[in-house]
Amino acid sequence: MFLAKQSIRTMLAGAGLLLGLAACERSPGAVEPEDPTGPVTGPTAYNLIIPSNFPTPPAQPADNPLTVEGVTLGRRLFYETALSRNSAVSCGTCHRQELAFTDGLARSRGVNNAQTTRSSMSLANLLWEPKLTWDGEASTLETQARIPIEKPEEMHQSLQVGVARLQQLPAYPPLYRQAFGSSTITEANTLKALAQFQRTLISGNSRYDQFRRGNRTALSTFEQQGLVLFSTHPDGRMRGGNCGDCHSGDLQTNHTFSNNGLDVNPPDRGLGLQTGLPTDDGKFRVPSLRNIALTAPYMHDGRFATLEQVVDHYNEHVALNSPTIDPLMLNTTNDPRQLSRTLELTADEKAKIVAFMRTLTDSTFIRDPRFSRPQP
């Protein structure tokens, strides 16, 4: 009899547990419970202004539209050191606004001064980028945001730990509640907020942009001559720098990956690390040249300190026998006989190209208070 009663109690307890678990599970269409702090007001749509000379941006993710509250939260998270293991590093450590969101180092430094394998890329105009990071590791800003947080040589902390730390900071639960309707901080909403902020980092008010929008005095004659050289693919009759084949359009990139002849046998596989294809080895994302005068040193490994050195590379030092060299790097010379294997730019032409690239600096972008570190 005692055993029978115990069996009944066990069955009832098990049923209760099952009912409890069932109650905790919500069907996909179930309504989330109200936030314990009270009714939640929906966020405000963010009015993103696109420069008139820019292409139409791709559609925003349906599950992460830009909102004033989401961008505000994302900006704060961008500069938040609690997302790093030692509370000393934030996204803003390697992406400084005054340097067009780069850091001025050949290889960035993370937690405990650990060195990364590549230089920090500019974050301007990422709204238009279909692939992110030097090797295309991420396809969305939401997925990309997790990478530096969890990489050992960068912020070196799991996002799970990071959001638990944020939950304990008094400022954050109300901000998450305003942006996403709940004061419970989640990994998904943290990534969404960081992505929203980065989508607003639009740089489109350089002197070059003003020239493109009709101000013919925005560029000097010397700089305009540099623009022509920059944009022209040389063929022996028309002289050019062959820059615009890859750094094309108002965004200054063709959004592809390229081996630009830095090494015969590239020590860093680049895109090949992601695809596993030997034909992709040594290919890296073609970066935008916007604000290029502010983002030295150059290339994925920061090997060139000046723009003059960059132009010298393309003019005289391209490793044309690199197995995966971009075809656009071949058969491009200003030699009228089309026999030379180098660009054959003159010193004056090189100076004009550099002068044009300096017109891509957007001084309003690097001083815009909307992108700066928020006040405590």
Side-chain angles (χ1 to χ4, degrees):
M1 184 69 179
F2 175 77
L3 290 175
K5 288 181 178 179
Q6 283 292 94
S7 298
I8 294 170
R9 290 194 189 101
T10 302
M11 291 173 62
L12 289 173
L17 177 61
L18 289 172
L19 287 171
L21 288 172
C24 290
E25 294 178 356
R26 298 188 183 91
S27 63
V31 177
E32 291 290 327
E34 287 188 6
D35 189 276
T37 54
V40 178
T41 303
T44 308
Y46 188 95
N47 181 27
L48 189 66
I49 299 174
I50 307 299
S52 61
N53 55 307
F54 274 26
T56 301
Q60 298 172 35
D63 65 344
N64 193 26
L66 286 182
T67 67
V68 172
E69 294 80 4
V71 171
T72 298
L73 172 60
R75 175 187 170 202
R76 184 151 187 160
L77 290 170
F78 186 85
Y79 292 101
E80 179 55 70
T81 57
L83 288 172
S84 69
R85 186 170 189 170
N86 64 352
S87 296
V89 177
S90 71
C91 302
T93 302
C94 296
H95 299 283
R96 294 163 49 190
Q97 185 180 10
E98 69 272 21
L99 297 178
F101 292 96
T102 61
D103 62 5
L105 301 175
R107 291 177 174 84
S108 298
R109 296 280 182 174
V111 165
N112 298 325
N113 208 34
Q115 188 177 59
T116 64
T117 59
R118 298 174 184 150
S119 64
S120 177
M121 298 193 82
S122 173
L123 303 184
N125 302 329
L126 294 183
L127 177 62
W128 285 267
E129 290 294 343
K131 291 284 187 178
L132 300 160
T133 76
W134 279 110
D135 61 11
E137 186 176 1
S139 298
T140 70
L141 283 165
E142 285 80 2
T143 56
Q144 187 279 329
R146 181 186 294 270
I147 296 170
I149 293 173
E150 298 190 336
K151 266 193 176 179
E153 65 270 32
E154 296 191 51
M155 297 167 77
H156 199 191
Q157 179 170 258
S158 74
L159 186 56
Q160 182 181 20
V161 171
V163 298
R165 295 180 69 185
L166 295 176
Q167 190 75 61
Q168 301 305 312
L169 298 176
Y172 279 106
L175 291 174
Y176 275 83
R177 181 173 180 273
Q178 292 165 13
F180 297 112
S182 174
S183 55
T184 300
I185 297 176
T186 67
E187 294 181 33
N189 286 342
T190 299
L191 298 175
K192 285 180 178 182
L194 283 166
Q196 284 193 45
F197 173 64
Q198 290 180 85
R199 287 191 176 100
T200 68
L201 299 178
I202 295 177
S203 177
N205 195 35
S206 66
R207 288 196 292 121
Y208 166 72
D209 292 298
Q210 294 164 24
F211 181 81
R212 287 279 292 120
R213 293 195 283 263
N215 181 358
R216 297 294 97 178
T217 64
L219 302 186
S220 69
T221 300
F222 193 78
E223 291 163 343
Q224 290 183 45
Q225 291 170 348
L227 169 57
V228 172
L229 287 164
F230 180 96
S231 306
T232 302
H233 183 99
D235 59 7
R237 298 184 306 276
M238 296 181 64
R239 297 191 65 80
N242 198 36
C243 315
D245 284 359
C246 294
H247 300 285
S248 54
D250 286 306
L251 294 174
Q252 290 288 303
T253 176
N254 61 4
H255 309 290
T256 64
F257 293 79
S258 175
N259 175 353
N260 61 346
L262 293 173
D263 303 285
V264 175
N265 297 302
D268 185 335
R269 293 188 65 191
L271 181 62
L273 286 172
Q274 302 302 322
T275 66
L277 300 174
T279 51
D280 286 334
D281 285 354
K283 295 181 180 180
F284 294 90
R285 191 176 121 211
V286 176
S288 171
L289 297 190
R290 288 191 161 273
N291 300 295
I292 193 67
L294 304 175
T295 61
Y298 304 107
M299 306 299 163
H300 66 278
D301 55 7
R303 67 177 64 191
F304 299 131
T306 68
L307 289 173
E308 287 78 8
Q309 290 176 0
V310 172
V311 175
D312 284 345
H313 161 72
Y314 287 113
N315 191 56
E316 301 143 32
H317 305 300
V318 174
L320 296 172
N321 56 340
S322 186
T324 59
I325 188 75
D326 194 311
L328 291 172
M329 305 297 294
L330 305 173
N331 302 317
T332 53
T333 179
N334 288 291
D335 176 11
R337 300 168 299 165
Q338 293 292 284
L339 298 177
S340 175
R341 290 175 63 81
T342 62
L343 269 174
E344 303 266 329
L345 290 168
T346 67
D348 181 66
E349 288 170 331
K350 289 194 283 187
K352 287 175 178 176
I353 291 172
V354 170
F356 163 68
M357 288 194 287
R358 294 188 185 282
T359 72
L360 297 170
T361 299
D362 180 354
S363 59
T364 59
F365 176 67
I366 62 173
R367 297 186 180 95
D368 195 322
R370 295 174 300 170
F371 309 145
S372 64
R373 185 184 302 275
Q375 295 299 313

